[in-house]
Amino acid sequence: MINEKMEKAFLDQINKELYSEYLYLSMKAYFANLNLQGFVNWMDVQVQEEHAHAMGMFDYVIERGGRVILEAIEKPEVDWQSPLEVFKAILKHEEYVTSRINALMDVAEETKDRAAIAFLNWYIKEQVEEEANVGGVLAQLELIGDDKNGLFALDKELATRTFVQPVIG
Ligand code: FEO
């Protein structure tokens, strides 16, 4: 059975993962209005990944005999100055998520919850990948600058990203 402190930490993180899904959905809408369909696709994969992250914890809390109680999801930002600004915001957000996953691991270690430590290792590794993916696109956008052809070439590349349902835990 999951301990109360660990359960509370997981419920808080489920809310943050659902907020991430909501934020990326908002960014998807931003790119749809710019008619950058490759960026729309990239954000859509991101949305699905965040949903999977939230559901992984949702299922885990229940599996450990806990109770999932959902809270309100914060309203996400709706506007950015440019695709570059969007990706700067994503990287900042993912760095914040990494810090929250690390805090969750701290609770697992403090409460000597070895099962939660093993489960959370997946999320620790996933955050490395998340930051690297976002950082890669951000670096390309910085190189592109105001070059419209470069932006369209990147849009084509981002159209190829596909969602793979992760096996969490
Ligand atoms: Fe759920 Fe992008 O971290």
Side-chain angles (χ1 to χ4, degrees), residues 13 16-18 20-21 24 46 49-54 57 90 93-94 97-98 101 122-123 126-127 130-131 134:
Q13 191 59 31
K16 290 193 165 58
E17 299 292 344
L18 291 174
S20 302
E21 180 179 356
Y24 296 153
Q46 202 70 10
E49 285 198 348
E50 297 308 339
H51 188 72
H53 296 168
M57 291 185 186
I90 301 175
H93 182 67
E94 286 300 334
V97 172
T98 298
I101 297 289
W122 184 88
Y123 285 87
E126 173 72 359
Q127 281 311 117
E130 289 270 272
E131 287 188 25
V134 179

Side-chain angles (χ1 to χ4, degrees), residues 137-149:
V137 180
L138 179 58
Q140 289 192 72
L141 281 167
E142 278 168 345
L143 277 175
I144 286 167
D146 292 331
D147 173 13
K148 288 264 182 291
N149 288 333

Side-chain angles (χ1 to χ4, degrees), residues 63-76:
E63 193 184 0
R64 293 284 310 277
R67 166 106 201 267
V68 172
I69 294 169
L70 297 173
E71 298 291 341
I73 303 168
E74 198 186 318
K75 183 181 190 290

